[in-house]
Amino acid sequence: MNPLEFLAVMAETANNLDFDAHMNLISKEVSVYGVPGFEVITYDDWFNQCQHEFENKMLKKVSYEGLNILAQTADRVMFKSVETVEGSDGSINTSGIEFIIQKEDDGQWRVGQERILPDDELESDKRRGAL
């Protein structure tokens, strides 16, 4: 799977508020690290957050910029990108994210792990031209 294509589908499903298609891109075993105030975010947490945001049309636009592939096998890709989420309230949240996407038993590629990069790591990556 090309990570750029995967991120395009992630953004498209969020921007279209297509909850079922978006959640189909998330592994039931997903773990998200680096969210302030949480040790780990699970699938259920992601499901509930997306359901709330999509139903209440809280998202204006989700986009990704930059790509740095860190490791790749036939069924897993680890990479970094920068995610920008624009809220319908005018808020803009930009985060560096390290993704691991994996091809699951049904042939679908899904996010298996996500890590929100600390600001210093994101800035270092940007200075090195890695993002």
Side-chain angles (χ1 to χ4, degrees):
M1 164 59 74
N2 177 326
L4 283 176
E5 293 172 8
F6 186 86
L7 290 176
V9 175
M10 284 279 288
E12 179 184 343
T13 58
N15 292 334
N16 292 334
L17 302 176
D18 188 338
F19 179 73
D20 291 335
H22 189 74
M23 290 311 300
N24 191 44
L25 300 173
I26 313 305
S27 174
K28 298 269 199 261
E29 307 302 319
V30 72
S31 297
V32 180
Y33 301 97
V35 177
F38 296 90
E39 186 171 326
V40 65
I41 303 281
T42 65
Y43 178 86
D44 289 341
D45 299 322
W46 193 319
F47 181 98
N48 291 330
Q49 180 72 21
C50 281
Q51 188 173 45
H52 174 73
E53 290 176 351
F54 286 28
E55 283 178 358
N56 292 290
K57 298 182 173 43
M58 298 172 74
L59 299 175
K60 180 179 176 186
K61 182 180 180 190
V62 176
S63 60
Y64 295 93
E65 183 180 349
L67 178 70
N68 180 13
I69 297 176
L70 304 170
Q72 189 167 5
T73 65
D75 56 1
R76 287 175 67 107
V77 184
M78 180 183 206
F79 61 94
K80 290 181 181 179
S81 188
V82 178
E83 176 184 72
T84 300
V85 178
E86 297 178 47
S88 54
D89 62 358
S91 63
I92 297 177
N93 184 9
T94 299
S95 304
I97 301 181
E98 180 181 270
F99 291 92
I100 297 176
I101 60 172
Q102 59 201 29
K103 188 175 186 179
E104 297 198 330
D105 291 343
D106 64 356
Q108 173 71 40
W109 285 84
R110 294 187 176 93
V111 176
Q113 184 174 308
E114 190 175 293
R115 180 174 67 92
I116 310 302
L117 305 180
D119 290 340
D120 59 343
E121 184 176 345
L122 175 58
E123 290 309 313
S124 174
D125 285 348
K126 284 182 175 179
R127 277 194 306 277
R128 294 185 297 110
L131 280 178

